Each structure stands twice: as structure tokens, then as C-alpha cells.
Amino acid sequence: PLIIGSVAGMVWSYFQIGFHPLVAGILEPLSDLALPLGLMTVGAGLQLKALRNASMPFLVAATAKLVGFPLLTSALALLLGMEGLMVQVVVLLAALPTATSSYILARQLGGDAPLMAAIISGQTLLAMVTIPLVLGLLW
């Protein structure tokens, strides 16, 4: 459903199909609630004990996502000839922690949801340090 919804949203956006003002008025407040509800869902499933039990998977995932991926993205952006602000934006987007939707997917698909909640929380906390470091190293 997440992939189908994403593809449908891209097609909807590409063809610039709008909503009737009444429907848009209903959907706008609901869409504003998506991020807070996702974070609350992760918070409800958070068990920091799961992070202690899986310290190596967390360290590998956090290092790859918060340091490795932004550096790789930066190299690729520069290789493609991007400059200045465009590279900074691309690196910033690459340096963001794992999305809260991964917890929902892990839970729905039978994955380790408590571990995913701990990884999301841990990466969000680490991102407060790694994002300024990565951007500072590059510029």
C-alpha cells in the first residue's frame, strides 16, 4: 500500500490533478497530522531495551545511514556536476534519520517492530549531532 500510494501520489502530482475545494479542506488538516501521528506510533512502540540488545545492528545501521549515505550522496552529486546549495540540500536530505513509516511497515509485515522503534529513536537523537557534522565537513 505504501508503494502504491507513493506511485499514485507522484502520478497525481505530475499531471497536476487538483482536489475539489471541499475535499482539499478535509484532507489538509488530516495530512498535517501524518507526521505527529507517525512519531506517536513509534513512541508507543519504543522499548530502549531492544536497542541495548541489538547494539551492533544499530551501530551499523546508524553509521551507514547518518554518515555513509550522506558522504556517498555528496560524492555522487559532485560527480554529476551539482554545486553549492543544490549539493547541500541533497546531502541534508540524505543525512536525515530513518523514516517513521519503517516502524509501521515492520509492524504490519511481521518484522522486529520494537527494534525498528529503537533504531528510529536512536537515529533521530544521533542526527542532532551528525547532520551539523556532515554539513560542516562538506562546507
Side-chain angles (χ1 to χ4, degrees):
L2 184 62
I3 295 170
I4 293 169
S6 297
V7 171
M10 288 188 302
V11 170
W12 195 274
S13 176
Y14 178 77
F15 289 110
Q16 298 178 353
I17 302 170
F19 289 109
H20 186 275
L22 179 64
V23 175
I26 294 170
L27 290 179
E28 188 173 340
L30 292 175
S31 66
D32 291 343
L33 291 174
L35 180 61
L37 285 176
L39 291 173
M40 286 175 34
T41 303
V42 170
L46 179 60
Q47 296 174 359
L48 291 178
K49 165 171 67 166
L51 190 56
R52 272 186 266 136
N53 295 337
S55 59
M56 188 52 80
F58 171 72
L59 288 176
V60 170
T63 303
K65 175 68 177 109
L66 299 175
V67 178
F69 188 54
L71 293 176
L72 180 67
T73 302
S74 172
L76 185 61
L78 293 172
L79 186 69
L80 292 173
M82 294 178 161
E83 297 178 346
L85 184 61
M86 184 67 79
V87 175
Q88 290 176 348
V89 169
V90 169
V91 171
L92 178 62
L93 291 173
L96 294 174
T98 301
T100 57
S101 61
S102 59
Y103 170 77
I104 297 165
L105 286 173
R107 187 156 181 165
Q108 291 295 321
L109 300 176
D112 192 347
L115 175 61
M116 197 66 238
I119 288 173
I120 291 167
S121 301
Q123 282 189 7
T124 302
L125 291 172
L126 283 175
M128 291 188 295
V129 174
T130 59
I131 289 175
L133 284 176
V134 168
L135 289 176
L137 287 173
L138 297 174
W139 285 270

